[in-house]
């Protein structure tokens, strides 16, 4: 399974499987994906007409289904209240019309958000242009099983992250990397505002990359699978 939260939930129902359930978080090949690049930051911001002084939130991923768009747009609203000159970069291959329809309900965001579809090999360059990343899912029991790939990608590119605390093992990761992750217990405007207020944006980028490598590095996954295959071969 992808998370310890899932493993704990399963063991409450099937305690006899204690020795037969392994946890392997989502893994990212960070050498292939890339890392923070100041050159890319300057270049991407320039191409999007965003000044270096502007605080930028990035969201990378899909919209719709379990990817909660309404909560994310509410977060954008609260973000703009805190950073009036702020901007958003949204990296998504979701139908732009769907996003436009949702944005029409939040008129104040129209000139603040840039929706872009980029190839995977370019994502790290656009993440480098941001100051913080966001992860939001629909509030549902199934989020216990989520190990967000984008968390590793954000961290690899030096972005501290704002997310919901009930997603997968994020509460545990918050304990391990307190400056890298800020969690909210619900998506009310008040909770989001408090989270943004206490969220540190000036985090050492090398520490974030280390956290990504330590928890989500692909070598960890390879090692874990090898151990399982060795047990099966006995």
């Amino acid at each position: 399974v992808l998370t310890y939260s899932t493993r704990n939930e399963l063991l409450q129902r099937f305690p006899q499987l204690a020795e037969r359930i392994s946890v392997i978080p989502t893994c990212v090949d960070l050498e292939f994906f890339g890392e923070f690049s100041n050159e890319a930051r300057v270049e991407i911001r320039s191409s999007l007409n965003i000044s270096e002084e502007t605080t930028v939130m990035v969201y990378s991923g899909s919209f719709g289904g379990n990817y909660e768009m309404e909560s994310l747009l509410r977060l954008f609203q609260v973000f703009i209240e805190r950073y009036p000159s702020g901007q958003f970069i949204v990296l998504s291959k979701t139908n732009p019309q769907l996003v436009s329809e949702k944005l029409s309900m939040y008129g104040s965001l129209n000139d603040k958000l840039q929706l872009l579809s980029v190839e995977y090999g370019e994502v790290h360059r656009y993440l480098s242009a941001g100051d913080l990343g966001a992860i939001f899912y629909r509030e549902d029991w199934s989020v216990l099983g989520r190990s967000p790939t984008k968390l590793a990608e954000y961290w690899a590119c030096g972005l501290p992250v704002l997310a919901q605390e009930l997603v997968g093992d994020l509460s545990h990761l918050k304990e391990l990397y307190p400056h890298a992750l800020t969690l909210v217990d619900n998506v009310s405007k008040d909770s989001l505002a408090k989270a943004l207020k206490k969220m540190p944006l000036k985090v050492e980028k090398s520490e974030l990359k280390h956290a990504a490598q330590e928890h989500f590095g692909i070598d960890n996954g390879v090692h874990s699978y090898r151990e399982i295959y060795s047990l099966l071969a006995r």
Side-chain angles (χ1 to χ4, degrees), residues 19-121:
E19 303 301 321
R20 302 185 64 184
I21 301 178
S22 297
V23 178
I24 307 178
T26 299
C27 298
V28 177
D29 185 344
L30 295 173
E31 290 188 14
F32 173 79
F33 177 76
E35 60 184 353
F36 172 77
S37 164
N38 192 63
E39 179 183 350
R41 180 182 178 88
V42 172
E43 182 181 325
I44 297 300
R45 283 189 172 228
S46 176
S47 70
L48 298 178
N49 198 28
I50 299 174
S51 71
E52 180 54 37
E53 294 73 30
T54 301
T55 303
V56 176
M57 176 180 287
V58 181
Y59 174 79
S60 176
S62 301
F63 287 120
N66 282 324
Y67 298 95
E68 183 60 88
M69 188 171 182
E70 286 78 8
S71 295
L72 193 64
L73 292 174
R74 188 180 305 130
L75 169 60
F76 288 173
Q77 275 192 314
V78 175
F79 176 80
I80 287 300
E81 291 174 4
R82 178 161 182 79
Y83 302 101
S85 62
Q87 293 279 328
F88 315 106
I89 296 175
V90 175
L91 308 175
S92 181
K93 294 186 180 296
T94 299
N95 185 343
Q97 184 176 351
L98 172 64
V99 181
S100 297
E101 290 174 357
K102 292 291 185 181
L103 275 176
S104 66
M105 302 166 57
Y106 300 82
S108 61
L109 301 179
N110 284 325
D111 61 346
K112 297 285 190 178
L113 188 149
Q114 303 202 45
L115 176 63
L116 307 167
S117 176
V118 301
E119 296 303 316
Y120 184 71

Side-chain angles (χ1 to χ4, degrees), residues 129-149:
D131 296 297
L132 69 157
I135 297 174
F136 275 80
Y137 295 104
R138 187 179 304 281
E139 294 183 343
D140 185 84
W141 178 76
S142 66
V143 297
L144 284 175
R146 289 194 173 276
S147 176
T149 305

Side-chain angles (χ1 to χ4, degrees), residues 186-221:
N186 65 75
V187 292
S188 69
K189 291 189 69 174
D190 184 57
S191 292
L192 294 172
K194 289 179 180 178
L196 281 172
K197 184 176 181 180
K198 68 181 181 181
M199 185 174 185
L201 299 186
K202 302 299 182 183
V203 182
E204 182 60 47
K205 297 187 185 302
S206 61
E207 293 181 8
L208 295 177
K209 183 182 178 183
H210 173 73
Q213 187 70 59
E214 186 172 59
H215 192 77
F216 297 102
I218 197 168
D219 289 343
N220 298 340

